[in-house]
Amino acid sequence: MMTSPVKSLLAASALALSFAAAQAQELKIGYVNGERVLREASPAKAAQAKLEAEFKKRETELNDTGNKLRQAFEKLEKDGPTLSEAERTRRQRDLAEQQRDFERKRRELLEDLNQRKNEELAAVSERASKVIKQIFETEKYDLILQDVVFAGPRVDITKKVIDALNAGK
């Protein structure tokens, strides 16, 4: 037989649980796949095309330099037995210096590309955040999540965000 205070505590707990369950059913939750937004939205695609155009010339020049350097190494390897020791050593030093210069330029290109890519992605992410906030406010969401392990299609609003970004909102 239970005492009156225990019965009251159990009743209050049951009431609190039923209230919490009712409140949870009324929550409006959304999920946005940020990676998909940065992959599929028109502003993200435009940023990618802009970066490709911006770095195409440097990449082409670097590839040409790399091909010439490779050909020079092959020529040295082929001509090596017929060259004097001093000439072979001089060419090896020259090629090693050119190789270091090539590697430095390649690193600089990658650093510049990564920096610009981060800048462009930050701009797209900022626009996406504004769109998400606008959807949050206009559609009266209680919570919108971005990095989750699993989300069902019922709460996935990624397509809405992409469509709004594509529309220029």
Side-chain angles (χ1 to χ4, degrees), residues 10-73:
L10 286 174
S13 296
L15 182 61
L17 284 173
S18 65
F19 179 73
Q23 286 288 11
Q25 290 174 354
E26 294 175 18
L27 283 178
K28 188 169 182 182
I29 298 174
Y31 160 70
V32 177
N33 183 333
E35 185 178 309
R36 187 173 150 211
V37 169
L38 292 177
R39 192 177 58 242
E40 296 178 13
S42 293
K45 289 178 182 178
Q48 182 65 32
K50 180 180 174 183
L51 288 173
E52 287 173 7
E54 186 176 326
F55 285 91
K56 185 168 182 53
K57 182 181 176 191
R58 281 177 65 185
E59 287 176 0
T60 302
E61 289 173 356
L62 194 62
N63 286 338
D64 290 346
T65 302
N67 288 334
K68 289 176 186 173
L69 191 57
R70 182 181 41 79
Q71 290 171 355
F73 271 113

Side-chain angles (χ1 to χ4, degrees), residues 41-166:
S42 293
K45 289 178 182 178
Q48 182 65 32
K50 180 180 174 183
L51 288 173
E52 287 173 7
E54 186 176 326
F55 285 91
K56 185 168 182 53
K57 182 181 176 191
R58 281 177 65 185
E59 287 176 0
T60 302
E61 289 173 356
L62 194 62
N63 286 338
D64 290 346
T65 302
N67 288 334
K68 289 176 186 173
L69 191 57
R70 182 181 41 79
Q71 290 171 355
F73 271 113
E74 289 172 358
K75 183 172 175 18
L76 177 63
E77 190 175 304
K78 180 180 146 194
D79 296 344
T82 61
L83 297 173
S84 69
E85 184 67 31
E87 180 65 16
R88 185 174 45 247
T89 304
R90 184 189 66 74
R91 286 189 185 183
Q92 286 174 336
R93 261 186 274 143
D94 287 347
L95 287 175
E97 185 177 320
Q98 290 175 21
Q99 179 71 30
R100 283 190 299 274
D101 188 48
F102 172 75
E103 292 296 329
R104 180 186 52 78
K105 286 180 180 179
R106 188 172 59 84
R107 279 191 307 274
E108 288 174 356
L109 174 67
L110 290 174
E111 288 171 2
D112 292 347
L113 178 61
N114 284 334
Q115 180 179 356
R116 286 289 295 124
K117 187 176 185 179
N118 289 339
E119 290 169 0
E120 292 294 329
L121 288 178
V124 173
S125 293
E126 186 177 321
R127 287 179 63 191
S129 291
K130 288 178 182 176
V131 166
I132 292 167
K133 185 177 182 192
Q134 183 181 15
I135 291 171
F136 176 83
E137 291 170 350
T138 58
E139 297 186 20
K140 305 215 184 317
Y141 276 88
D142 295 307
L143 178 67
I144 294 181
L145 302 169
Q146 191 160 354
D147 294 321
V148 298
V149 178
F150 298 107
R154 187 172 58 88
V155 296
D156 192 348
I157 63 168
T158 305
K159 177 112 174 74
K160 279 184 190 178
V161 174
I162 291 170
D163 291 343
L165 280 169
N166 291 348

